[in-house]
Amino acid sequence: MSVSHGMTLFDTAVGPCGVVWGDGGIVGIALPSDQGDASATRDDLVAAYPDAVEGPAPDGVRTAIDGMVALLAGESVDLGEVRVDLDGVPDFYRRVYEVTRAIPPGSTLTYGEVAARLGMPGAVRAVGQALGRNPVPIVVPCHRVVAAGGALGGFSAPGGAVTKRRMLQIEGALPAPPPTLFD
């Protein structure tokens, strides 16, 4: 049996992340697990990609990792050139991901705005479902899609809305929380 996917973990400002790749590009990205440790992130990736073998990332994936690390450290990095392999992903989802990939760091769109850009203004829930199944968060920056009226909306990655808020704050799309009296 031949191995079809490679996998590696990497540290970021939000915790240990992981990436899985194949011949066509990146197929999966894991944000830090709820436990916040690398072994739990690894377990999440292995559960989703049981054929993945951990090892060094090829050059294109390494460049993508460097970009993700920089973005999550607050640098304005465009990951639009990162090769992703979305084979098996429904066409509607791919279209949602294409619109989402065009949202620059520090900016957001609402679910309704994404649906409107698709020419389907009634598809707000379907947009949310597509983003909830995004296999390559960060590269397809689903955290930049928010609910109407300033609400964050959902986030399917570990940590949920807390992780989403933190990522948006790092990118400068949300103000930092006010300091507490006990800092």
Side-chain angles (χ1 to χ4, degrees), residues 92-107:
F92 176 76
Y93 288 18
R94 287 181 200 217
R95 292 176 52 219
V96 169
Y97 301 160
E98 184 178 310
V99 170
T100 305
R101 279 191 92 174
I103 305 169
S107 299

Side-chain angles (χ1 to χ4, degrees), residues 75-94:
E75 295 178 37
S76 183
V77 176
D78 180 5
L79 300 174
E81 297 300 315
V82 172
R83 274 188 37 201
V84 294
D85 181 352
L86 297 175
D87 281 355
V89 173
D91 181 62
F92 176 76
Y93 288 18
R94 287 181 200 217

Side-chain angles (χ1 to χ4, degrees), residues 4-19:
S4 59
H5 293 109
M7 174 183 81
T8 195
L9 301 177
F10 56 98
D11 289 320
T12 73
V14 299
C17 293
V19 63

Side-chain angles (χ1 to χ4, degrees), residues 22-176:
D23 292 337
I26 293 175
V27 297
I29 296 171
L31 294 172
S33 75
D34 288 330
Q35 289 79 26
D37 63 41
S39 63
T41 300
R42 179 182 291 108
D43 291 347
D44 290 346
L45 282 173
V46 169
Y49 302 93
D51 68 331
V53 174
E54 196 164 353
D59 289 344
V61 175
R62 183 78 248 159
T63 299
I65 290 169
D66 292 344
M68 288 185 272
V69 169
L71 183 73
L72 293 173
E75 295 178 37
S76 183
V77 176
D78 180 5
L79 300 174
E81 297 300 315
V82 172
R83 274 188 37 201
V84 294
D85 181 352
L86 297 175
D87 281 355
V89 173
D91 181 62
F92 176 76
Y93 288 18
R94 287 181 200 217
R95 292 176 52 219
V96 169
Y97 301 160
E98 184 178 310
V99 170
T100 305
R101 279 191 92 174
I103 305 169
S107 299
T108 60
L109 288 177
T110 66
Y111 295 98
E113 288 169 331
V114 172
R117 289 185 184 195
L118 294 168
M120 304 173 71
V124 174
R125 284 203 168 144
V127 165
Q129 289 173 343
L131 293 173
R133 291 182 176 92
N134 176 12
V136 287
I138 308 171
V139 172
V140 172
C142 51
H143 62 281
R144 295 182 191 148
V145 181
V146 297
L152 282 182
F155 196 54
S156 61
V162 171
T163 299
K164 183 174 189 172
R165 176 178 298 282
R166 184 164 181 216
M167 292 173 73
L168 289 171
Q169 286 171 333
I170 288 169
E171 292 185 7
L174 291 178

